[in-house]
Amino acid sequence: MKMSFVPKGVIPAVVTPMNKDESINESAFRKLLNYLVDNGVHGVFIIGSQGEFYALTREEKIRLMEIAVEEVNGRVPVYAGTGGITTREVIELNDAAEKIGVDAVSIITPYYISPSQEELYEHYVKIAKATKLPVLLYNNPGRTGGVKLEPRTVERLAEIDNIVGIKDSSGDLTNTSDYIRRTKGKNFHVLAGRDTLILATLLYGGTGSIAATANVAPKLVASIYDYFVKGDLENAKRAQEELTPLRLAFELGTFPVVIKEALNMIGIEAGPARGPIRSLSEEKKAELRKVLQNMKLL
């Protein structure tokens, strides 16, 4: 029987706050989680790309999961990124996530290596069978050297009981819509991973978004989904348009520093990104500050 868990709504891809020495700032992480939940998001997604998962040790990932589960305390679902290069390391991290009590795991395709579609299929099947948790696939070819989950592969994976959906960060609406078309009726859910395509994904039949910009503007981003569910497409479209400049501002620096800079500017402690990622130049900070001012976030 297919698992009933439904990933839906706006789920911030939560940053991992750091101290000046690049150690994790646990108190700032707790404050950020509360800020997001208090401002109407529908879940939190920790240890993803925006959360600098690639820069964290296994022990740090486990600690972040423990804090999130404790601090959120059941108010919204906690999703944790548990992706890795090998099937074995993903399964091991999922075991920890299950014991800690996260609600679902999100697993990016392997990076550095370039598996075939059949290898990706076997990778996810083994992972899903080794955990009781709901599994969310994660397609982000721009961050994985072009490794992507083809719609036909996702169609096959949607048959697995606890594979409940996919986050598509390809930025290709044709790809997203094909995921939705091929998995219709399978109790499988597609989430936008590109913040400029939240409303478009919902209109095609998706169920929400995992959105980095929701760290900075949680009310605005959550309202896109809330308006859509109410049938108020005009306001959903307005909110989506208001959000676009913040997503486009990602180009001002090396991912994932821009959202951290924006949080620091609006008075929410996020600290630096881990090296080699550098802070924005003063010129780029001025451009970002103007975006935030125009959005009335400053």
Side-chain angles (χ1 to χ4, degrees):
M1 183 178 292
K2 190 76 176 180
M3 186 174 278
S4 61
F5 182 88
V6 178
K8 63 180 180 179
V10 166
I11 306 156
V14 185
V15 307
T16 302
M18 304 278 182
N19 296 301
K20 286 183 179 179
D21 64 359
E22 298 185 9
S23 62
I24 292 174
N25 187 333
E26 293 190 4
S27 63
F29 185 54
R30 290 179 185 275
K31 289 176 184 176
L32 177 58
L33 290 168
N34 282 303
Y35 167 72
L36 297 173
V37 175
D38 290 346
N39 278 281
V41 301
H42 309 98
V44 292
F45 171 43
I46 62 168
I47 325 173
S49 302
Q50 185 65 54
E52 300 175 77
F53 83 92
Y54 55 84
L56 301 172
T57 66
R58 184 178 187 275
E59 291 71 28
E60 287 173 326
K61 292 176 183 179
I62 288 171
R63 181 60 183 148
L64 288 166
M65 286 190 275
E66 290 171 343
I67 293 170
V69 169
E70 177 187 313
E71 199 66 36
V72 172
N73 194 28
R75 289 175 288 170
V76 296
V78 173
Y79 301 72
T82 56
I85 297 175
T86 67
T87 309
R88 179 189 291 268
E89 65 182 302
V90 176
I91 289 172
E92 289 176 353
L93 195 54
N94 282 347
D95 286 345
E98 195 172 317
K99 289 171 185 170
I100 291 165
V102 303
D103 295 286
V105 289
S106 173
I107 301 163
I108 196 166
T109 54
Y111 38 94
Y112 189 77
I113 57 174
S114 299
S116 68
Q117 291 300 299
E118 194 58 35
E119 287 168 332
L120 287 172
Y121 176 78
E122 291 176 1
H123 174 67
Y124 282 109
V125 169
K126 287 178 181 177
I127 288 165
K129 287 184 175 179
T131 184
K132 296 176 183 177
L133 290 172
V135 172
L136 195 66
L137 311 174
Y138 181 6
N139 182 58
N140 193 347
R143 304 282 172 210
T144 57
V147 176
K148 59 185 177 180
L149 280 163
E150 298 287 357
R152 289 182 183 276
T153 305
V154 172
E155 184 178 9
R156 293 173 67 198
L157 288 169
E159 302 288 345
I160 308 300
D161 292 349
N162 61 329
I163 296 181
V164 297
I166 187 168
K167 174 190 177 185
D168 185 18
S169 294
S170 68
D172 181 350
L173 193 55
T174 298
N175 188 72
T176 304
S177 64
D178 205 18
Y179 285 163
I180 294 166
R181 179 182 69 85
R182 289 177 178 274
T183 59
K184 196 172 292 184
K186 297 180 185 290
N187 197 21
F188 183 88
H189 311 277
V190 179
L191 301 173
R194 184 66 62 90
D195 299 17
T196 49
L197 297 178
I198 298 171
L199 181 56
T201 299
L202 291 168
L203 287 166
Y204 264 106
T207 57
S209 173
I210 295 177
T213 54
N215 284 279
V216 180
K219 279 186 179 178
L220 176 64
V221 188
S223 76
I224 299 171
Y225 177 81
D226 292 336
Y227 282 130
F228 177 81
V229 170
K230 292 175 185 174
D232 188 350
L233 295 183
E234 196 58 40
N235 272 317
K237 182 183 175 186
R238 175 192 54 77
Q240 178 72 84
E241 288 174 350
E242 286 182 15
L243 178 64
T244 297
L246 182 57
R247 176 58 183 83
L248 296 180
F250 280 20
E251 304 303 320
L252 292 174
T254 302
F255 180 87
V257 75
V258 170
I259 289 297
K260 281 194 160 181
E261 295 275 20
L263 282 167
N264 290 327
M265 285 179 187
I266 66 172
I268 297 173
E269 194 176 9
R274 275 194 176 161
I277 308 305
R278 298 174 61 182
S279 297
L280 298 183
S281 68
E282 290 305 315
E283 179 185 358
K284 297 299 183 183
K285 283 182 181 179
E287 290 184 49
L288 178 58
R289 192 171 288 110
K290 187 174 181 180
V291 169
L292 297 174
Q293 288 170 339
N294 290 340
M295 293 177 70
K296 296 181 172 57
L297 294 169
L298 264 183

